[in-house]
Amino acid sequence: MSLALSIVGPRGIDVVDVALPSPGKGEVRIAIRRCGICGSDLHWYTGHQSAPTVCPGHEISAEVEAVGADALSWREGDRVVVEPLVRCGSCDRCRAGQYNLCRSMGVHGVTHPGGMAEQLLVRAETLHRLPDSVDFELGALAEPVAVGVHALRVAGMRRGDTVAVLGSGTIGLTTVIAARYLGAGFVGVTGRHAHQRSLATAVGADQAVCPDELRTLEQRPSIVIETVGGSATTVADGVQAVDFGGTVAMVGLFDGPPEFDPMQMLRKEVRLVGSNVYNHPQGEKSDFAIALEILESSSEGLRSLVTRTVALRDAAQGFAAANDKTTGTVKVLLDPTA
């Protein structure tokens, strides 16, 4: 038996025993070392979105525990991170490396059992080797970093571009770090809380302002990355703030259709694009591969995002802390080994 989180309603979390079979063909059983609480997890935790019917958690670092047939590129003890997309592998999108657009795509922690557990079965192709210099704590940040990398790539960011990131949660802050790594010339960011704005500048933003001060950025952005979602006005804010001919990429999960001024978008020829997690463009590095490079090169800044680690058995406390941004919380990790 293995421990795993069970969702029993808004703000209701239990830790239960579950049976975990041996890995089958192409599967690997991993022992979870860290799993992050994501902002998307907080949407169901607070009752704003439907809760998954499986164990949650998709920001996963782990150690290989057992290997099934046809997964022999992995060995017991290998240190890994999980790219949590479950895809068919054979459709036109998958073959093109756009498996995030697979019509039958699932996600560990949403449609398939996730990493807020002691152990997990995954497909071998979802694993990435953790660099020797990166520990499990940083490894759990590979997934949110990959989200930021993908958003910047979808937005068409080029070296020297001016970027504004709306929101200073984990995704916003990892996007700041990714933008710096990818060569942005200027990075501005908005943050509701003072500690978020302070942290944003500490990890590489040139300027951090309150959301209602977006117009005061020293440089007008050609790229805007929206990471807030919920009921925020950030799509409208981004369309208004972005330069003529610029791009706004939406990353945040919205509770309903966001409003914005389409005439302003038309007049400025703004490109509004969706950014759906991560993928592997043909002929290029995958978003996760770049994220792992960033983990190695920006470890100090990324580690500052981890503000609390709690035992898996204390997950209810961890979720409560993650949901209360007034306490200075940014990223909360669950540790099944504690």
Side-chain angles (χ1 to χ4, degrees):
M1 301 297 286
S2 177
L3 293 179
L5 250 63
S6 175
I7 303 168
V8 294
R11 302 179 192 271
I13 295 171
D14 198 5
V15 180
V16 299
D17 285 319
V18 297
L20 197 67
S22 299
K25 184 177 180 180
E27 292 182 327
V28 175
R29 188 174 72 225
I30 56 175
I32 310 298
R33 296 299 179 237
R34 296 290 190 279
C35 185
I37 298 175
C38 178
S40 61
D41 294 316
L42 297 178
H43 282 286
W44 59 254
Y45 175 75
T46 56
H48 288 95
Q49 293 183 1
S50 298
T53 58
V54 296
C55 172
H58 56 271
E59 300 177 356
I60 305 165
S61 63
E63 191 171 343
V64 171
E65 193 171 69
V67 177
D70 291 348
L72 299 181
S73 60
W74 298 104
R75 296 287 185 270
E76 181 180 346
D78 283 347
R79 301 166 63 255
V80 296
V81 295
V82 178
E83 185 173 3
L85 305 187
V86 182
R87 59 269 195 180
C88 75
S90 58
C91 70
D92 57 339
R93 298 298 185 182
C94 285
R95 292 196 305 271
Q98 297 176 314
Y99 42 77
N100 61 323
L101 304 180
C102 175
R103 294 168 183 83
S104 61
M105 188 190 82
V107 183
H108 282 290
V110 180
T111 59
H112 292 64
M116 294 183 183
E118 289 183 320
Q119 297 165 300
L120 181 66
L121 277 181
V122 298
R123 297 290 305 174
E125 63 268 19
T126 68
L127 297 180
H128 295 263
R129 199 172 302 278
L130 198 57
D132 291 340
S133 62
V134 178
D135 58 24
F136 290 120
E137 178 178 88
L138 284 178
L141 298 179
E143 195 273 348
V145 173
V147 170
V149 169
H150 185 71
L152 292 162
R153 296 174 95 178
V154 167
M157 197 207 92
R158 296 171 295 183
R159 186 170 294 276
D161 275 350
T162 300
V163 176
V165 180
L166 307 188
S168 293
T170 300
I171 298 298
L173 294 170
T174 55
T175 301
V176 168
I177 293 171
R180 273 289 173 235
Y181 181 81
L182 294 173
F186 173 91
V187 181
V189 63
T190 65
R192 289 173 54 202
H193 303 288
H195 76 272
Q196 293 176 322
R197 297 190 295 274
S198 176
L199 188 53
T201 55
V203 300
D206 295 288
Q207 187 180 5
V209 299
C210 294
D212 59 0
E213 296 174 339
L214 182 56
R215 293 183 181 181
T216 68
L217 288 180
E218 295 167 0
Q219 296 188 32
R220 191 161 195 174
S222 58
I223 302 288
V224 172
I225 309 297
E226 187 287 318
T227 74
V228 181
S231 58
T233 62
T234 37
V235 173
D237 297 340
V239 170
Q240 184 177 63
V242 75
D243 203 358
F244 284 73
T247 300
V248 178
M250 298 185 300
V251 180
L253 301 180
F254 285 89
D255 298 335
E259 294 184 3
F260 62 94
D261 183 353
M263 290 306 297
Q264 187 176 53
M265 180 178 169
L266 180 152
R267 183 174 64 88
K268 294 168 63 177
E269 286 199 351
V270 173
R271 193 168 66 104
L272 181 63
V273 298
S275 180
N276 185 28
V277 291
Y278 22 74
N279 62 21
H280 188 172
Q282 282 188 332
E284 301 180 40
K285 293 180 180 179
S286 71
D287 296 321
F288 250 78
I290 295 174
L292 289 170
E293 292 177 358
I294 294 173
L295 293 190
E296 289 188 283
S297 68
S298 306
S299 59
E300 183 177 350
L302 285 165
R303 198 177 299 280
S304 67
L305 306 189
V306 180
T307 49
R308 186 169 179 181
T309 300
V310 302
L312 178 65
R313 293 180 182 275
D314 298 325
Q317 298 176 24
F319 268 83
N323 192 51
D324 185 2
K325 302 305 181 186
T326 64
T327 63
T329 298
V330 179
K331 173 57 65 179
V332 177
L333 302 181
L334 301 182
D335 179 2
T337 68

